[in-house]
Amino acid sequence: MAATGIICEYNPLHLGHKKQIDHIKRTHPNDGIVCMMSGNYVQRGAPAIIDKSLRAKTAILCGADLVLELPVTASLSSAEGFAREGVRLLSGVCDKLCFGTESADQGALLATAKALLSEAFPEALKQALAKGLSFPAARQAALQTMGLNANTLTQPNDILATEYCKAILDLGADMEPMPIHRG
């Protein structure tokens, strides 16, 4: 059976999340939907405002078929760690990963992810950091130095989406990225 994964927090689940689940059901009606959800602590270390069991029940009521808990070490991690662990865990059961982004540009997200994994990137990043730039600004500058467009690293959901794509590529996960516009 084919399955689409969603790495989520649902803190709380809102209409945009429901739109994502409905999109998967509409475009891949035979897929199961597996949510990898943060537990009682969410990204950036905040306690969830709603208990994980209630958030999981809400996800099921909105159309998810299975809700799994993302380990707290991943939930409390950076966007890179959050994405990597979610992809690692879902890649064994899902052949697609759906996520919301500002751009929904799969090609640009994958190109940026490939560039971040390239052999040239660490040196370009090192040079940008040596100029005193913050890490986010240095990543953008490094990509520009490499002749690439860094626009996908300017919006928060595009940044996380890039990290999902990077994790898929780096882990060799047999998953198709499914970005959808987050509006």
Side-chain angles (χ1 to χ4, degrees), residues 81-156:
F82 181 83
R84 185 177 183 83
E85 188 65 4
V87 166
R88 186 185 72 76
L89 292 169
L90 283 175
S91 66
V93 293
C94 297
D95 59 339
K96 291 176 277 314
L97 180 67
C98 186
F99 45 86
T101 79
E102 288 88 3
S103 70
D105 186 339
Q106 183 186 49
L109 295 166
L110 282 167
T112 302
K114 287 176 186 173
L116 294 173
L117 292 168
S118 74
E119 290 181 16
F121 180 74
E123 183 58 33
L125 178 63
K126 182 179 172 182
Q127 290 175 9
L129 287 169
K131 295 176 184 175
L133 297 174
S134 67
F135 182 77
R139 279 198 344 162
Q140 290 174 303
L143 289 177
Q144 290 168 340
T145 298
M146 295 167 60
L148 299 165
N149 185 336
N151 286 343
T152 55
L153 296 180
T154 61
Q155 298 293 318

Side-chain angles (χ1 to χ4, degrees), residues 5-108:
I6 301 172
I7 302 170
C8 57
E9 293 186 322
Y10 294 160
N11 190 38
L13 191 143
H14 55 67
L15 291 177
H17 296 131
K18 175 74 169 110
K19 177 183 165 188
Q20 180 185 30
I21 292 169
D22 290 346
H23 172 81
I24 295 167
K25 288 196 169 294
R26 187 175 57 258
T27 59
H28 296 85
N30 297 322
D31 277 17
I33 298 176
V34 180
C35 294
M36 181 63 63
M37 187 183 75
S38 297
N40 284 326
Y41 290 90
V42 295
Q43 201 174 19
R44 292 172 289 286
I49 60 172
I50 299 172
D51 181 76
K52 66 183 179 182
S53 59
L54 184 55
R55 290 183 290 127
K57 182 177 180 179
T58 303
I60 296 292
L61 290 172
C62 285
D65 296 297
L66 176 65
V67 179
L68 304 171
E69 184 174 349
L70 186 65
V72 70
T73 52
S75 294
L76 300 178
S77 188
S78 65
E80 182 179 27
F82 181 83
R84 185 177 183 83
E85 188 65 4
V87 166
R88 186 185 72 76
L89 292 169
L90 283 175
S91 66
V93 293
C94 297
D95 59 339
K96 291 176 277 314
L97 180 67
C98 186
F99 45 86
T101 79
E102 288 88 3
S103 70
D105 186 339
Q106 183 186 49

